[in-house]
Amino acid sequence: MKIKLSDDLSVNYLKVGNGPHTIVLLPGTFGTIEKDFDEQLESLDKEKFTLVSWDPPGYGQSRPPYRDFHDKNALRKDAHLVARLMELLEIDTYSILGFCAGGATALILAAAYPKRVLNVTVWGTKSYVSDADKENLKKFMSGETLGASANDANLQIYGAEELYRMYANSADAIMKTDNICREDLPKVKCPVLILHGEADNWIRKEHPLYLAENLQNARIHFFPDGKHFIHRNYAKEFNQIVETFVLQ
């Protein structure tokens, strides 16, 4: 379903469930509602929760416009747009689940709107880009690695040509970035749950540890064999942990 957030921007969103506690689910880079959160949308208790998600601007059905990966304020703009979406839906307070770049958006939103955000769960998330991260990205972009890593879901959504362009623009922007949301961390007052797959090839363990050290009220839960998509590969355990945390 499309909703107009400003004169020149409409986004695709989904609202399901009728529970008293609202959870906002924020997809990751290149992410969409269904691709990133099918396991959560299907299995989280809709008698306890109302679930709201979106395709961020430039992704999925929130196109056009194309995503501007070189806009250093893109995630900050996303955070304010999510707040605007919730205002239009007349939902005053909510929890947030943020995956990958959506986790950074969640932390920015929590810092900017402390009276609205009850708690935040993030995974696959980092607040800065290190030299080691950039070296990892170079390996990803070299040779045939790009084609091998572009999964069927992304190809179905974007097609090979657009997906390649998105990967290349995103990688170029990341190589020129050091900070993502580091300055927002001390401003986050609500409880934060950091989930991390210890076998994640994209987000090294230093990132969740840094988040925990620099957030006022954070805890970490590790999935020892988990990779980047712990919310899919360990969906039942993941959902149980989230439900318990959100309702605490």
Side-chain angles (χ1 to χ4, degrees), residues 14-44:
L14 177 70
K15 179 172 178 261
V16 296
N18 54 11
H21 193 117
T22 297
I23 301 178
V24 181
L25 301 95
L26 301 182
T29 306
F30 317 123
T32 67
I33 299 167
E34 290 82 4
K35 181 174 77 70
D36 279 13
F37 295 125
D38 56 342
E39 296 283 355
Q40 285 65 51
L41 292 168
E42 180 179 345
S43 300
L44 288 175

Side-chain angles (χ1 to χ4, degrees), residues 187-207:
K187 303 173 187 176
V188 177
K189 309 298 182 184
C190 67
V192 178
L193 174 62
I194 304 160
L195 302 175
H196 182 68
E198 294 195 75
D200 191 331
N201 292 326
W202 289 107
I203 306 297
R204 291 171 300 106
K205 196 172 182 178
E206 72 173 74
H207 289 293

Side-chain angles (χ1 to χ4, degrees), residues 171-182:
D172 182 67
I174 293 171
M175 293 299 291
K176 298 173 181 176
T177 300
D178 295 312
N179 177 49
I180 299 174
C181 63
R182 219 170 351 203

Side-chain angles (χ1 to χ4, degrees), residues 79-81 83-84 87 94 108-118:
H80 293 296
L81 289 171
R84 176 60 179 158
E87 287 176 1
Y94 38 88
I108 294 168
L109 201 160
Y113 300 92
K115 294 183 179 180
R116 302 186 194 180
V117 179
L118 301 173

Side-chain angles (χ1 to χ4, degrees), residues 77-94:
K77 291 176 181 177
D78 284 355
H80 293 296
L81 289 171
V82 172
R84 176 60 179 158
L85 170 63
M86 301 309 288
E87 287 176 1
L88 293 174
L89 296 179
E90 299 182 341
I91 300 174
D92 294 328
T93 59
Y94 38 88

Side-chain angles (χ1 to χ4, degrees), residues 3-19:
I3 188 170
K4 192 171 185 178
L5 299 184
S6 66
D7 290 340
D8 59 352
L9 180 65
S10 295
V11 298
N12 181 50
Y13 84 99
L14 177 70
K15 179 172 178 261
V16 296
N18 54 11

